[in-house]
Amino acid sequence: MGRIHICVKRAFIFVCVLIGIISTLLLAITLFGHGYFHQSEEIEILPGIAILYVIEAATLVLSILGVYGARKEKKWTVVLFSVGMSLASLYLFVECVNGYQSKHELEELTREEHLAMMPLSGANQTDLEELYNMQTNFKCCGLVQGYQDWGTDIPLSCLCSDEDSTDFKCVAPGNNTRSVIHYPNSHMSEDDDHKALMDEHMLVYKEPCLPIFISFMGYAISLMIGTLVALNALWDIGVALAITILCQMRRKFDVPPVIFTSQPPQYRELCDTAESV
């Protein structure tokens, strides 16, 4: 076995171990995040979750077989690794292309779903809770026209503190006799929620939430696709190293034969001839 073969084998084992670690982490993340979906959402995403489980478990098993085949020089395990990872890489590539093509469609669908909440004064409780969380997390107010989308009933999550005013755009909503701060309380009915007139020094976030949320979602999709492309490249490297190992297993090294003889060297005979003369 030559030095190149040893280097390739070590690189292949390293890639297989790395694939196994990543597959284990992804399997744990999928299993941990599965419990956060509601029962209705779980039924819709069940086929996708099942495919994720199969791919992650399969790549974990293939990585173990790859390490075993490289260390023990078992040809069939390396062949199984190369075939299995090639199929998984092809499937992942197709999913990346589909995800990139459906990115704009998903953004438009999200825009339409949120615009259907308008006017915000008539939104249901579930949509209101989503909007409150969005405004708190993204430091924004309203969906399209900022705080004006709420009319005269501005929620507490739109309030801009003195610390936020240095990092985010905040504005005064105008006449305090028309603007009302709404304090939602999950323990009370909507009629019992506290309301108070807005002080003239109070500020609200200027930027609307919908453009920020769509931009964030597009960035998250791009990041996910980039991660899948990097993972696909790692799988392709493993397949290339596996094919290299298989080619080197088929290679035959020509070793010149070594012949041993019991006859004395020729210079002894020359010496004996010279002495007899």
Side-chain angles (χ1 to χ4, degrees):
M1 186 181 300
R3 180 176 178 81
I4 297 179
H5 188 91
I6 294 176
C7 294
V8 173
K9 185 172 73 171
R10 290 177 178 175
F12 177 71
I13 292 176
F14 173 77
V15 172
C16 287
V17 172
L18 188 59
I19 291 175
I21 294 174
I22 295 176
S23 300
T24 304
L25 292 176
L26 292 177
L27 191 62
I29 292 174
T30 305
L31 184 63
F32 180 76
H34 190 189
Y36 283 94
F37 294 98
H38 299 287
Q39 187 175 1
S40 58
E41 296 176 346
E42 184 177 355
I43 296 176
E44 296 178 358
I45 66 173
L46 187 60
I49 295 295
I51 293 176
L52 283 178
Y53 279 131
V54 171
I55 293 178
E56 293 162 358
T59 52
L60 178 60
V61 173
L62 289 174
S63 64
I64 296 174
L65 290 177
V67 173
Y68 174 78
R71 291 182 61 87
K72 301 297 182 180
E73 296 189 2
K74 299 292 183 179
K75 184 177 179 180
W76 68 271
T77 56
V78 181
V79 171
L80 185 61
F81 173 87
S82 60
V83 173
M85 294 304 295
S86 297
L87 295 176
S89 178
L90 180 61
Y91 174 81
L92 192 61
F93 176 77
V94 173
E95 289 297 319
C96 289
V97 174
N98 293 335
Y100 180 79
Q101 293 178 349
S102 61
K103 175 183 176 182
H104 299 289
E105 297 179 1
L106 185 60
E107 291 178 353
E108 290 299 324
L109 180 61
T110 303
R111 186 188 305 274
E112 293 176 1
E113 290 179 351
H114 283 81
L115 289 179
M117 301 178 184
M118 302 289 291
L120 300 183
S121 57
N124 57 49
Q125 189 63 30
T126 303
D127 293 339
L128 288 177
E129 292 178 359
E130 179 183 351
L131 290 173
Y132 294 155
N133 293 330
M134 187 185 303
Q135 291 176 153
T136 302
N137 294 328
F138 293 107
K139 307 298 182 181
C140 55
C141 186
L143 289 177
V144 181
Q145 297 181 351
Y147 69 90
Q148 297 178 2
D149 293 337
W150 291 102
T152 59
D153 195 6
I154 301 175
L156 180 63
S157 55
C158 282
L159 284 184
C160 179
S161 62
D162 295 336
E163 298 177 356
D164 293 336
S165 61
T166 58
D167 298 328
F168 301 93
K169 295 181 180 180
C170 301
V171 293
N175 190 355
N176 60 353
T177 60
R178 293 186 297 106
S179 300
V180 177
I181 292 298
H182 176 66
Y183 295 86
N185 193 328
S186 59
H187 299 288
M188 299 181 181
S189 63
E190 295 184 1
D191 296 334
D192 295 331
D193 288 346
H194 298 289
K195 295 182 179 181
L197 289 178
M198 176 174 290
D199 187 85
E200 59 181 1
H201 300 293
M202 286 186 179
L203 301 176
V204 294
Y205 296 114
K206 178 181 178 181
E207 299 296 332
C209 293
L210 187 56
I212 298 176
F213 179 72
I214 292 179
S215 177
F216 176 79
M217 186 183 65
Y219 175 77
I221 294 175
S222 300
L223 181 61
M224 182 182 65
I225 294 176
T227 303
L228 293 179
V229 169
L231 184 61
N232 194 9
L234 180 63
W235 290 359
D236 291 338
I237 292 174
V239 172
L241 292 174
I243 294 175
T244 304
I245 288 178
L246 290 174
C247 293
Q248 291 185 350
M249 286 182 177
R250 294 172 57 89
R251 187 181 304 170
K252 296 181 180 179
F253 297 94
D254 296 329
V255 180
V258 179
I259 301 176
F260 297 93
T261 178
S262 58
Q263 297 180 358
Q266 295 295 328
Y267 70 88
R268 293 297 300 273
E269 296 181 1
L270 291 176
C271 293
D272 295 340
T273 304
E275 291 176 359
S276 62
V277 174

